[in-house]
Amino acid sequence: TSLSVSAPHGKAFEIDGKVFGHVMDPRKGEPVQGATLAAVSLPSAMETDGLSTALLVLGEPGFPIFTGRWEEARALVATSDPDSPSGLSLATRNWGLS
């Protein structure tokens, strides 16, 4: 089983105090905004690599894309949530977290 994690951190730049990551949203032609981390687990590393990046772009609304094609996929999306004690909100699919 393979696990791939995508996040805009690490390779980023700052303009006027705002940090922009290196993962681009092809729909907008801009760096991804919203999700701070996406993880996917499947038997194929090639699939998990592409799907974790796609899920970073799509966020939790991307979960339905997995239905049917990658039914066994486990997926997790973390987004910033200032109201949460951890500062994050987690959404999962088949991950086993509650």
Side-chain angles (χ1 to χ4, degrees):
T1 299
S2 297
L3 172 69
S4 292
V5 178
S6 295
H9 312 294
K11 297 177 185 173
F13 58 95
E14 185 177 332
I15 297 175
D16 296 328
K18 188 171 182 180
V19 177
F20 297 91
H22 69 289
V23 179
M24 300 297 286
D25 183 337
R27 300 167 299 178
K28 299 177 182 178
E30 299 173 355
V32 169
Q33 300 291 311
T36 59
L37 179 138
V40 176
S41 176
L42 276 168
S44 167
M46 182 177 70
E47 288 179 312
T48 61
D49 182 48
L51 291 172
S52 66
T53 301
L55 199 53
L56 183 68
V57 172
L58 297 172
E60 184 179 356
F63 284 164
I65 293 170
F66 288 78
T67 304
R69 175 83 192 237
W70 298 280
E71 190 60 37
E72 74 280 15
R74 293 185 293 158
L76 178 144
V77 175
T79 55
S80 296
D81 182 356
D83 296 328
S84 169
S86 68
L88 292 174
S89 175
L90 296 179
T92 63
R93 181 186 179 282
N94 293 339
W95 207 269
L97 299 174
S98 51

